[in-house]
Amino acid sequence: MTCRELVELLIDYVSGDMPADGRDRVTRHLSDCPPCVAYLETYQHIIRLTRKLPSPQLPAELAARLRRALADVQATPPRSESPGDGPSRNSAWA
Amino acid sequence: MAESGTEAGSGRIQLRPTAEQVYREYSPRVYHLARRMLGNTADAEDVTQDVLLQVVRKLDTFRGESALPTWLHRITVNAALGHRRKKAVREEKQVRDPLESFLDDGHHRGPIGRWSVRPEQEALDHETHELIETAISQLPEIYRDVYVLADVENLPNADIADMLGLSLPAVKSRLHRARLLMRDALAPHFEEVSAT
């Protein structure tokens, strides 16, 4: 296995979505290749760092704009059109 | 306060969110998802208002609060993609293949440094946060959409494929390329300075 071949497999390796023989080949390569160990580590770092990105509060001007729009829509009778597919389960926002 | 509603056919009573709860709990997330997909705060503001009003108008059709987040994700993605199409902005970025950084024999072209940043820390400092946001905004759109939904929003690949109309292998391929591009973009900022 070359370093390039290992890097192509990282998405399955880090998600655990890889057969045992593939994992063994990756592990063998890593045991003898410090650059690939560092590459794997940084690949995992970027995933973990990105998952920590916050979604802070709305900018004040947008919050005020949304409040006004919300008040307007609540003051008018409901309409009958559907905004899209029906709701389903399983979400990171749950 | 949430209102009670009956899930169709089940007879179970579930909580239905109020417009105020949708605004308070979800509008920041809608805004930041749209901002990261569109790379533009003004467009993200329009999309956020559009999504919020669509949802609030149809709140009485919700079966239960547990279903709302996925529905919001889907509406936000559709609204962002629609907004992008409406503006008809063609992206001119050349997409670099991150796997070009290997020699013909498959070895790394240059040294791979370890990073000084510690992802184990509880929260990102402001500078790290900004570096990551900037790197995301510079991803080509085809990679950015998948990256934001997978690694920021933490959605399953199957849901992303469904939302974007892609095959599962295409989602995985784009996500992997996006992570490699992010890694390459951030490495110069995060690599430890070697003691020479």
Side-chain angles (χ1 to χ4, degrees):
Chain A
M1 173 180 282
T2 67
C3 301
R4 181 188 167 119
E5 287 167 343
L6 178 136
V7 166
E8 286 176 343
L9 295 173
L10 283 183
I11 189 165
D12 290 328
Y13 184 76
V14 302
S15 69
D17 188 18
M18 181 179 263
D21 60 334
R23 290 194 73 80
D24 289 346
R25 289 176 62 222
V26 170
T27 304
R28 273 201 303 277
H29 181 99
L30 289 171
S31 69
D32 196 31
C33 184
C36 278
V37 171
Y39 200 100
L40 167 64
E41 190 179 285
T42 56
Y43 187 90
Q44 291 173 311
H45 275 10
I46 195 60
I47 297 169
R48 290 194 200 117
L49 289 167
T50 301
R51 293 212 166 128
K52 286 180 179 288
L53 280 180
S55 286
Q57 288 305 301
L58 295 172
E61 279 185 22
L62 175 61
R65 173 181 162 185
L66 295 181
R67 284 273 186 208
R68 285 193 301 274
L70 210 52
D72 286 347
V73 79
Q74 287 179 307
T76 56
R79 297 191 307 184
S80 59
E81 84 276 18
S82 170
D85 295 337
S88 58
R89 304 191 186 286
N90 185 16
S91 171
W93 287 356
Chain B
M1 174 177 286
E3 300 161 349
S4 64
T6 306
E7 188 172 357
S10 71
R12 284 184 293 134
I13 302 296
Q14 296 211 346
L15 293 178
R16 180 183 300 142
T18 63
E20 173 64 20
Q21 282 176 316
V22 172
Y23 165 76
R24 202 161 10 88
E25 294 175 24
Y26 294 107
S27 55
R29 304 181 195 183
V30 168
Y31 169 69
H32 290 292
L33 171 55
R35 177 179 59 77
R36 287 173 180 134
M37 284 183 68
L38 296 170
N40 177 313
T41 56
D43 291 347
E45 290 180 3
D46 290 345
V47 165
T48 304
Q49 178 169 331
D50 181 35
V51 170
L52 182 66
L53 296 189
Q54 281 190 63
V55 170
V56 166
R57 285 191 181 112
K58 302 304 291 181
L59 267 184
D60 57 349
T61 68
F62 282 114
R63 293 189 301 247
E65 193 172 8
S66 64
L68 183 61
T70 300
W71 200 40
L72 272 166
H73 264 123
R74 188 176 295 277
I75 294 173
T76 306
V77 168
N78 285 343
L81 294 177
H83 198 86
R84 193 188 280 160
R85 273 196 299 272
K86 203 162 60 184
K87 292 194 80 175
V89 177
R90 288 183 187 278
E91 192 173 65
E92 300 293 339
K93 272 180 198 164
Q94 291 292 319
V95 181
R96 184 183 66 81
D97 184 353
L99 291 171
E100 282 175 359
S101 59
F102 288 84
L103 299 168
D104 290 343
D105 65 3
H107 285 90
H108 297 278
R109 190 171 290 278
I112 306 296
R114 292 202 126 98
W115 287 6
S116 56
V117 65
R118 296 287 120 208
E120 297 77 20
Q121 68 194 38
E122 196 61 33
L124 301 180
D125 61 52
H126 181 71
E127 186 186 0
T128 303
H129 175 186
E130 288 300 312
L131 284 170
I132 296 170
E133 292 277 13
T134 301
I136 291 173
S137 73
Q138 290 175 350
L139 285 173
E141 283 170 4
I142 62 164
Y143 298 140
R144 194 195 316 148
D145 292 343
V146 173
Y147 188 75
V148 168
L149 293 171
D151 281 358
V152 181
E153 299 295 331
N154 208 15
L155 291 177
N157 289 346
D159 288 6
I160 299 168
D162 194 33
M163 285 181 194
L164 297 178
L166 296 171
S167 67
L168 200 51
V171 169
K172 284 179 63 177
S173 170
R174 290 184 186 192
L175 175 59
H176 186 49
R177 286 292 192 280
R179 286 174 176 171
L180 298 182
L181 289 170
M182 288 289 293
R183 200 213 75 87
D184 288 355
L186 293 169
H189 301 283
F190 292 156
E191 276 180 3
E192 291 171 354
V193 179
S194 56
T196 53

